[in-house]
Amino acid sequence: MKSFSEIIQQTEFSPEDLVRMLEADGDDRTLLFVQAEKVKKQTIGNKVYFRGLIEFSNICAKDCLYCGIRRSNEKVVRYEATDAEILDACRFAWQNRFGSVVLQSGELSSPTFVRRVDSLLKQIKELSNGELGVTLSCGEQSIETYRQWRESGAHRYLLRIESSNPELYQKIHPENDLHRFDRRLQALRDLKASDYQVGTGVMIGMPFQTIEDLANDLLFFKQLDVDMVGMGPYIEHEETPLYVYRHLLKSKQERFDLALKMVASLRLLMPDINIAAATALQAIDPAGREKALKIGANVIMPNLTPCDYRKEYQLYEDKPCLDEDAELCRNCLEARIGLAGCEIGYNEWGDSKHYEHRKRAEDPGRGFQSQPQSK
Ligand code: SAM
Ligand code: SF4
């Protein structure tokens, strides 16, 4: 049998190897983290990139059984930030040299919604002279919509698969056409075909989820050949149907630790992708995101959502930074990232190296959309 240090030196991993990595404790856990930190520094360097997160609307047509802003939660006050509010947040990001923003929302696919996002993309590009990179996270859409938004300036898209096990996916979603695993998968394929840098991810420590499921999730990311991953602990929310299964959950600390091991293992499996330090890590441990940056993640998403709206975008209990304004969040982040031994890539898009590598492999003569020169 392979020793643990032999396992983590590999570049290919079997499901059994990954299970051992996710179950590592004591010295093995330390070895895993040290190796992931080393591989990250060697492959993509030590920089951390900012994506200012703007949760611009909590109106959602879907009813995911885990999510605090699901359609059926009537306790949520629904909002839609105005264009001016969204553009102010973008201007803040641009002036503070964030490099990129993420526009995130509940899932709607009406023509009005599609047009609105399209118009916002154009306005963001205009206000920043094309300098601000834009990632979208607005759920499943038609390939035509994805293409339209790509043309209007979005170049990265986040759509978590939530679980790559179709049976588990079904258990955490209502059984209807709006919530089908194959639809989700098709949306991810459409995003790739529309030339986005594609990000996906899962929730870690959900009821009914096994370690084998998580090992397979990691292999799913590799098989789909994604450019970015954002994954964090599942955290229960009282006003959701999954709450009744909370007795099945690992402790929050265990879910947190498992999430760190997922990040470190993924860094070894896919050394050149971007990995986000999920906000949900911070809901469990105030220094959670910085811990993830140290052992493999390289992207962080400071919250720029206007403060009045944040309490209505509670996906799970104890979501952090609810009452801090954007400036305060930025200052505390700066100090903490320094403590994690990382450097901030100010004014940089920080695109996924993996995307560049895969595009070069597909078409060696092809040019790249590169970041415009900044101010
Ligand atoms: N509506 C879009 C979608 O679902 O892709 C984007 C917004 S959605 C709120 C963003 C992510 O929040 C989801 O992909 C899900 O993984 C995460 N999320 C929702 N409820 C959660 C919970 N209870 N614990 C942890 N993460 C959660
Ligand atoms: Fe809506 Fe996204 Fe929450 Fe599902 S996870 S209910 S699509 S906001």
Side-chain angles (χ1 to χ4, degrees):
M1 187 159 116
K2 285 177 276 189
S3 71
F4 192 76
S5 26
E6 281 167 341
I7 291 179
I8 57 171
Q9 304 290 332
Q10 304 174 120
T11 49
E12 302 285 332
F13 299 87
S14 67
E16 295 73 30
D17 292 336
L18 291 167
V19 166
R20 278 185 68 187
M21 287 151 76
L22 297 177
E23 284 178 338
D25 60 9
D27 290 347
D28 286 351
R29 177 179 175 276
T30 310
L31 278 179
L32 171 67
F33 289 168
V34 169
Q35 180 68 5
E37 186 179 358
K38 187 170 131 199
V39 166
K40 175 183 138 178
K41 283 189 181 151
Q42 280 170 351
T43 319
I44 54 164
N46 202 25
K47 277 197 185 160
V48 172
Y49 301 102
F50 278 176
R51 319 275 188 240
L53 175 65
I54 306 169
E55 297 152 334
F56 68 93
S57 168
N58 65 356
I59 303 173
C60 189
K62 286 173 86 166
D63 239 344
C64 308
L65 304 182
Y66 42 84
C67 178
I69 61 168
R70 63 197 298 270
R71 180 193 178 129
S72 298
N73 183 3
E74 287 174 3
K75 294 200 174 154
V76 172
V77 179
R78 301 291 161 174
Y79 72 84
E80 215 179 327
T82 63
D83 279 15
E85 287 167 331
I86 298 167
L87 296 174
D88 276 353
C90 292
R91 199 169 292 110
F92 175 93
W94 183 51
Q95 287 168 348
N96 286 275
R97 302 180 295 140
F98 272 29
S100 303
V101 289
V102 178
L103 295 189
Q104 189 178 86
S105 67
E107 186 177 309
L108 293 178
S109 52
S110 63
T112 317
F113 180 78
V114 172
R115 266 198 308 274
R116 169 140 206 252
V117 173
D118 195 65
S119 144
L120 282 167
L121 287 167
K122 289 176 179 147
Q123 294 180 75
I124 294 167
K125 288 289 159 182
E126 198 179 315
L127 82 79
S128 68
N129 303 325
E131 288 175 12
L132 207 50
V134 187
T135 306
L136 289 178
S137 174
C138 303
E140 290 163 33
Q141 305 288 341
S142 69
I143 191 163
E144 291 76 24
T145 298
Y146 286 149
R147 287 199 170 130
Q148 183 184 344
W149 289 347
R150 176 78 180 88
E151 295 229 320
S152 298
H155 73 292
R156 295 184 283 243
Y157 205 104
L158 299 173
L159 184 72
R160 287 183 175 179
I161 190 73
E162 315 296 0
S163 168
S164 65
N165 174 347
E167 281 160 34
L168 178 54
Y169 187 91
Q170 216 45 71
K171 279 195 184 134
I172 59 169
H173 292 98
E175 240 184 287
N176 60 40
D177 274 355
L178 254 192
H179 301 85
R180 283 198 345 246
F181 181 78
D182 54 351
R183 226 181 99 143
R184 193 81 171 173
L185 205 52
Q186 187 56 47
L188 283 166
R189 294 195 178 115
D190 289 347
L191 284 166
K192 280 194 94 174
S194 309
D195 200 29
Y196 284 88
Q197 290 172 53
V198 177
T200 192
V202 293
M203 285 175 287
I204 299 160
M206 288 187 283
F208 316 114
Q209 188 182 43
T210 64
I211 287 283
E212 287 74 21
D213 285 329
L214 290 169
N216 288 328
D217 289 338
L218 295 173
L219 292 169
F220 169 87
F221 303 151
K222 174 101 178 172
Q223 195 197 359
L224 198 67
D225 201 21
V226 294
D227 307 300
M228 328 181 282
V229 169
M231 55 185 174
Y234 161 75
I235 302 176
E236 58 275 34
H237 187 296
E238 204 176 338
E239 299 299 328
T240 62
L242 274 199
Y243 196 67
V244 296
Y245 298 111
R246 61 193 181 283
H247 61 284
L248 298 177
L249 298 174
K250 296 179 194 305
S251 73
K252 281 192 182 158
Q253 199 49 49
E254 286 169 321
R255 278 176 263 165
F256 176 82
D257 195 57
L258 195 50
L260 287 189
K261 287 188 269 188
M262 283 286 281
V263 168
S265 304
L266 180 61
R267 179 55 71 201
L268 300 184
L269 184 68
M270 301 185 77
D272 62 353
I273 64 168
N274 277 354
I275 304 180
T279 309
L281 290 165
Q282 195 191 359
I284 299 182
D285 177 334
R289 290 181 304 176
E290 293 74 9
K291 287 181 182 170
L293 291 175
K294 188 158 171 50
I295 54 94
N298 69 324
V299 166
I300 194 159
M301 294 158 59
N303 198 337
L304 298 184
T305 308
C307 286
D308 288 350
Y309 295 136
R310 291 192 200 181
K311 65 178 185 315
E312 304 302 342
Y313 203 89
Q314 288 268 42
L315 310 177
Y316 43 79
E317 60 190 30
D318 302 329
K319 193 160 171 257
C321 274
L322 280 186
D323 49 13
E324 281 180 82
D325 70 22
E327 181 69 44
L328 275 175
C329 258
R330 192 175 68 95
N331 287 344
C332 72
L333 265 175
E334 230 169 45
R336 282 153 36 170
I337 288 169
L339 284 176
C342 301
E343 188 194 329
I344 299 171
Y346 278 119
N347 259 345
E348 294 184 50
W349 278 4
D351 279 340
S352 163
K353 295 265 184 295
H354 186 77
Y355 176 78
E356 196 180 318
H357 295 155
R358 86 175 158 85
K359 286 290 161 187
R360 286 234 159 85
E362 276 168 24
D363 181 0
R366 180 184 188 277
F368 286 97
Q369 175 187 19
S370 59
Q371 176 172 13
Q373 286 301 303
S374 53
K375 301 163 280 177

